[in-house]
Amino acid sequence: MILIVDLSYKKNSLSFEEFVLPIASIVEKTGTDFNIKHFTELCEEDLRSSEKVILCGTALKDDEFLKHEEEFSWMKKINKPILGICAGMQLIGLVFGSELIEAKEIGMKEIKLKKPNKLFSTDLYAYELHKYSIKPNEDFEILAVSDLCVQAIKHRSKEIYGVIFHPEVRQRQIIVNFVEKVS
Amino acid sequence: MRLGVLFSGGKDSILALYKAMEKEDVVCLITVISDNKESYMFHTPNIHITEYQADSIGLPLVTIRTAGVKEEELKELRRVIEMAKEKFEIDGIVAGTVESVYQATRIQRICDSLGLWCFNPLWQKNQLDILREVVELGFDVVITGVFAEPFDSSWLGRKINSKTIDELKKLSEIYKISPAGEGGEFETTVLDGPIFKKRLEVKGFSINFSKGSGIMEIKKLELKEK
């Protein structure tokens, strides 16, 4: 079971169909069960019953999730793979003490691989929609960068990944790889 | 949240509008009338029908005309969104973009520059699912433009229903085209549906088809009680 977390400003917002359903659709095609929850309704049972967690992105103007960083401290406690997409990567960075930095990118960009990993092993051309990225601290290794900012990170001792671009748009295999190869 | 919906009068923008009306406060429709039939951004056949659709739905329409020169037309799009922001105090824009990162990127950038939210409720959605959803919701959708093989003039005026969807699915598999016309293979016009207070009845039209493409131009229509 994959837990897919909606980080949008409110439950069942217009962003749900834009940032959550495309992820669910990719997970569904792998034949893996999933459970979608808005972040305000996450409970311990959701985390306990899931093998992995995907934190979805939000609209460019939606920073509501940043006001709720403390509600994601469970990321430090559960020993399960997590993939944070855009807003999700920002939260992962913040929860583990990294710095949020202003870095706006909108549209397709070239992404340079820094370290081959279970999610991807080549340079990428990917869709961006973010105002911030993360300046990772020593807990993380940098997997990929653009000419502006860090694009992908992995926790050094946990199976916790973050990508600031949106793999659901042109790099769907990254989500499939997380579902099938990360454990 | 007060929203304006980018509106071409076709199936995608009507479905985006329907979804936006379910969840937020839609206060206006926004239409760019492009004089360029091959515009990269804007649906063109029967764009004048948006006036009747807006009237039937009961929403004000904000329009602008553009020569449709690539990238230049984006300035007109920015201007019309700015007009909607000033007149109707919108907080954001809704678009019916499905796959095009070209369109999505440009609309996102314009919204960002104007401090507006941007929503794309059909983004990355399966194209056959869009057709099915539009039909299941009860929208009356007619094909009014065909621009690629294997579509011929017999497709002009055809309604989207479960039989049409099955045919489009088969054609998409054979010809490797988008089953929902996302690649510009065909365009649609919506004449009725659950958010229409009156239905649009076509009273006169012409069909112009040559060299593999054509349009059904709606010349005359009336709003009829439902």
Side-chain angles (χ1 to χ4, degrees):
Chain A
M1 174 79 79
I2 304 263
L3 175 63
I4 299 174
V5 183
D6 178 1
L7 296 180
S8 301
Y9 62 102
K10 66 176 183 181
K11 188 187 172 189
N12 199 23
S13 71
L14 261 182
S15 292
F16 178 78
E17 280 155 307
E18 184 172 353
F19 295 99
V20 181
L21 285 188
I23 307 294
S25 170
I26 296 165
V27 172
E28 188 175 26
K29 281 179 187 155
T30 67
T32 309
D33 291 340
F34 59 89
N35 173 28
I36 301 175
K37 275 291 183 84
H38 189 259
F39 76 88
T40 55
E41 295 189 339
L42 274 183
C43 62
E44 281 188 21
E45 180 53 30
D46 294 323
L47 297 167
R48 200 165 34 235
S49 62
S50 305
E51 292 156 39
K52 302 176 190 182
V53 182
I54 299 178
L55 305 168
C56 300
T58 64
L60 190 63
K61 209 171 160 55
D62 185 356
D63 297 331
E64 181 64 25
F65 65 95
L66 291 173
K67 299 174 191 162
H68 299 266
E69 181 194 325
E70 70 285 356
E71 292 167 39
F72 292 85
S73 56
W74 52 263
M75 282 195 258
K76 285 182 157 178
K77 296 172 199 154
I78 65 163
N79 197 21
K80 295 180 179 181
I82 302 172
L83 171 62
I85 295 168
C86 195
M89 168 165 148
Q90 294 170 41
L91 271 175
I92 288 170
L94 287 170
V95 166
F96 285 91
S98 296
E99 186 187 343
L100 195 69
I101 57 161
E102 285 192 13
K104 188 189 293 177
E105 293 176 302
I106 303 172
M108 299 300 292
K109 282 207 77 169
E110 283 182 23
I111 291 164
K112 289 280 178 196
L113 179 74
K114 286 289 191 188
K115 186 173 182 189
N117 56 85
K118 291 176 186 171
L119 300 185
F120 58 100
S121 55
T122 62
D123 292 347
L124 302 170
Y125 193 50
Y127 185 70
E128 309 272 359
L129 188 65
H130 59 91
K131 284 186 299 189
Y132 304 103
S133 183
I134 285 293
K135 187 178 173 186
N137 62 13
E138 62 282 359
D139 284 348
F140 294 96
E141 52 189 358
I142 295 172
L143 303 181
V145 296
S146 69
D147 59 2
L148 184 69
C149 61
V150 171
Q151 292 286 322
I153 54 172
K154 182 190 174 295
H155 194 279
R156 289 187 189 280
S157 58
K158 297 170 185 275
E159 288 296 301
I160 297 180
Y161 293 82
V163 291
I164 204 72
F165 57 88
H166 286 265
E168 71 273 24
V169 179
R170 289 286 185 272
Q171 298 294 339
R172 293 173 187 174
Q173 189 60 38
I174 286 177
I175 295 167
V176 174
N177 289 346
F178 176 73
V179 172
E180 295 181 346
K181 295 184 181 173
V182 177
S183 57
Chain B
M1 198 180 290
R2 291 170 65 84
L3 298 176
V5 177
L6 295 181
F7 190 67
S8 69
K11 61 178 169 49
D12 294 343
S13 61
I14 209 87
L15 186 56
L17 168 63
Y18 178 85
K19 289 175 181 289
M21 287 173 86
E22 275 192 316
K23 293 184 175 179
E24 298 289 348
D25 185 15
V26 176
V27 294
C28 65
L29 302 177
I30 300 166
T31 295
V32 178
I33 300 168
S34 177
D35 291 332
N36 178 1
K37 289 179 180 170
E38 292 173 0
S39 165
Y40 281 81
M41 285 291 290
F42 309 112
H43 169 112
T44 48
N46 297 305
I47 194 75
H48 58 289
I49 305 300
T50 55
E51 198 180 315
Y52 294 87
Q53 293 167 318
D55 189 12
S56 169
I57 293 163
L59 285 169
L61 182 68
V62 186
T63 62
I64 198 165
R65 197 161 198 107
T66 172
V69 179
K70 192 179 178 186
E71 298 297 341
E72 279 296 308
E73 63 187 0
L74 295 169
K75 291 179 186 166
E76 309 292 354
L77 176 61
R78 188 183 194 283
R79 192 171 307 155
V80 75
I81 292 174
E82 206 168 13
M83 282 159 56
K85 183 183 175 187
E86 283 167 12
K87 191 167 180 185
F88 295 101
E89 298 180 332
I90 55 172
D91 303 301
I93 289 294
V94 179
T97 314
V98 182
E99 278 288 339
S100 170
V101 291
Y102 177 89
Q103 279 190 10
T105 298
R106 280 147 186 83
I107 295 168
Q108 289 281 1
R109 284 180 183 155
I110 289 169
C111 287
D112 181 53
S113 72
L114 293 172
L116 293 170
W117 287 70
C118 183
F119 295 104
N120 297 277
L122 310 188
W123 188 230
Q124 304 298 299
K125 200 169 169 64
N126 177 286
Q127 296 179 26
L128 284 168
D129 288 347
I130 290 174
L131 293 177
R132 290 183 190 114
E133 188 169 359
V134 163
V135 170
E136 281 164 16
L137 287 169
F139 285 102
D140 181 6
V141 184
V142 175
I143 295 177
T144 49
V146 290
F147 308 102
E149 284 191 333
F151 299 108
D152 57 24
S153 61
S154 71
W155 281 86
L156 293 168
R158 280 187 66 174
K159 284 187 188 294
I160 302 282
N161 52 32
S162 56
K163 184 169 172 267
T164 324
I165 293 170
D166 287 343
E167 279 183 64
L168 289 168
K169 182 172 183 286
K170 281 179 197 155
L171 290 174
S172 73
E173 287 160 4
I174 297 168
Y175 292 90
K176 307 296 175 202
I177 55 167
S178 154
E182 177 67 9
E185 296 91 344
F186 65 88
E187 295 285 357
T188 58
T189 299
V190 182
L191 300 176
D192 196 6
I195 53 176
F196 284 60
K197 295 182 178 74
K198 294 178 180 175
R199 66 186 170 84
L200 277 59
E201 190 169 295
V202 178
K203 290 290 188 182
F205 64 89
S206 66
I207 290 195
N208 302 299
F209 186 89
S210 70
K211 295 176 184 171
S213 71
I215 61 167
M216 172 189 169
E217 190 178 351
I218 298 171
K219 300 276 195 187
K220 188 181 174 194
L221 58 76
E222 289 174 4
L223 292 178
K224 294 281 188 181
E225 296 296 333
K226 293 168 69 172

